Amino acid sequence: MRRVVATGTFDIIHPGHIYYLEESRKLGDELHVIVARDRNVRHKPRPVIGEAQRLKVVRALRVVDSARLGDETDMFRPIREIGPAVITLGFDQHFREEELERALRERGIGAGVVRIGEYTGDPCTSTRRIIERILEIRGSPGGPPNLRKGGS
Amino acid sequence: MRRVVATGTFDIIHPGHIYYLEESRKLGDELHVIVARDRNVRHKPRPVIGEAQRLKVVRALRVVDSARLGDETDMFRPIREIGPAVITLGFDQHFREEELERALRERGIGAGVVRIGEYTGDPCTSTRRIIERILEIRGSPGGPPNLRKGGS
């Protein structure tokens, strides 16, 4: 059983996430996703959605065989527990492949690291772009009058 | 084969949507989702995400057997094509069960209509609340300085 680990914040799910997960899944037989803890997201703005809710949405995706939250203090612990053959990085994830592989080796983890390319099939495929769009169309100075109309 | 039809905008996917779809799926053997067209969302603010992208995310959910966009002029057409035993409404969908059933009968469609209850398990389970939260934490007057840091 060749396990693949994919990781990410998955704040507002978009087709870029789905592409990343589907491409990751192709590299093995089982896709395990580690969802970033709220307090560990420090290299970009804090997530809009809390970790428990982000995890639920990731778990609901067909491509995902198993998903869990990351460890708050040791990012390698869930990786060790899963024992993947491959760990994938998204096109914009801030780790360098070689550095991550070295860190894994130092901890006795033999997984390979593969970077998945960027998905360009849709206009709103980053949480940043989705938020920019929301601020643009709903965030008029003086308050968002549209919001009172509801929407789900 | 007992088909169930669920419908919605599914602008920013959250556990409330997943609950609605999972409860709908339990009423039959196959869940078919009709995703609202951009131009047909008139009773609440226009979707942030375009219809093609919303459809892709709905299709990626495990609980969904089939998903398609609605018809721009005749909402009953895809329902007639699918031939469901049941059509479900979300707790906040603006149709009344009896009115919808009557409209279906008038068109020779024998499906029952079932309203699914509200999901209350997470704090951000409506697109409106997610957008309010984004405006609150990122939409400071004078521009969103946080956005320059990226985020996906």
Side-chain angles (χ1 to χ4, degrees):
Chain A
M1 181 64 77
R2 191 177 154 84
R3 291 181 177 158
V4 181
V5 160
T7 69
T9 309
F10 305 101
D11 196 11
I12 294 176
I13 289 284
H14 54 68
H17 291 130
I18 295 163
Y19 174 80
Y20 164 58
L21 295 172
E22 286 177 345
E23 292 300 304
S24 298
R25 179 72 178 68
K26 289 178 189 169
L27 301 173
D29 308 302
E30 246 183 28
L31 178 63
H32 294 250
V33 181
I34 302 172
V35 175
R37 304 300 296 251
D38 289 339
R39 56 172 280 189
N40 292 351
V41 179
R42 280 180 291 233
H43 59 286
K44 58 183 181 181
R46 286 292 171 114
V48 171
I49 307 296
E51 57 191 22
Q53 182 167 332
R54 290 186 283 110
L55 176 63
K56 277 185 199 170
V57 174
V58 169
R59 276 196 177 136
L61 298 172
R62 187 180 295 109
V63 70
V64 174
D65 294 294
S66 172
R68 68 183 80 192
L69 292 175
D71 190 280
E72 287 196 325
T73 54
D74 177 8
M75 63 170 267
F76 295 98
R77 196 159 78 166
I79 295 173
R80 212 178 275 116
E81 286 168 7
I82 297 164
V86 183
I87 299 172
T88 60
L89 295 174
F91 80 98
D92 61 347
Q93 275 179 310
H94 65 300
F95 291 105
R96 290 221 202 118
E97 287 94 309
E98 316 78 52
E99 279 173 26
L100 180 56
E101 280 197 348
R102 198 179 314 127
L104 291 164
R105 295 295 164 274
E106 283 168 15
R107 287 159 183 84
I109 302 171
V113 177
V114 175
R115 184 164 309 260
I116 304 294
E118 184 172 6
Y119 173 75
T120 55
D122 288 283
C124 263
T125 51
S126 82
T127 297
R128 180 179 54 73
R129 260 174 277 165
I130 292 171
I131 289 174
E132 280 172 359
R133 185 161 156 73
I134 288 169
L135 296 177
E136 188 190 311
I137 66 176
R138 303 276 176 88
S140 58
N146 244 346
L147 284 174
R148 262 171 260 125
K149 286 173 76 188
S152 68
Chain B
M1 180 64 77
R2 191 175 154 85
R3 291 181 175 155
V4 180
V5 160
T7 68
T9 309
F10 305 101
D11 197 10
I12 295 176
I13 289 285
H14 53 68
H17 291 129
I18 295 164
Y19 174 80
Y20 164 58
L21 295 173
E22 286 177 347
E23 291 301 302
S24 298
R25 179 74 178 69
K26 289 177 188 169
L27 302 173
D29 309 302
E30 245 182 29
L31 178 63
H32 294 250
V33 181
I34 302 172
V35 174
R37 304 299 297 250
D38 289 338
R39 56 173 280 188
N40 291 351
V41 180
R42 281 181 292 231
H43 58 287
K44 59 183 180 182
R46 285 294 170 114
V48 171
I49 306 297
E51 58 191 23
Q53 183 167 331
R54 291 186 281 110
L55 176 63
K56 277 183 200 171
V57 173
V58 170
R59 277 196 175 135
L61 298 172
R62 186 180 297 108
V63 69
V64 174
D65 294 293
S66 171
R68 68 183 80 192
L69 292 174
D71 190 279
E72 288 196 323
T73 53
D74 178 9
M75 64 170 267
F76 295 97
R77 198 159 77 167
I79 295 172
R80 211 178 277 116
E81 287 168 6
I82 296 165
V86 183
I87 299 172
T88 59
L89 295 173
F91 80 98
D92 62 348
Q93 276 180 308
H94 64 300
F95 291 104
R96 293 221 200 115
E97 287 94 309
E98 316 77 54
E99 279 173 27
L100 180 56
E101 280 199 345
R102 197 178 317 129
L104 290 164
R105 295 295 163 276
E106 284 168 14
R107 288 159 182 83
I109 303 171
V113 176
V114 175
R115 186 167 305 264
I116 304 295
E118 185 171 8
Y119 173 75
T120 54
D122 289 282
C124 263
T125 51
S126 82
T127 297
R128 181 179 53 74
R129 261 175 275 165
I130 292 171
I131 289 174
E132 280 172 357
R133 183 159 158 75
I134 287 169
L135 295 177
E136 188 188 310
I137 66 176
R138 303 276 176 85
S140 57
N146 244 346
L147 284 174
R148 263 172 257 123
K149 286 174 75 190
S152 69

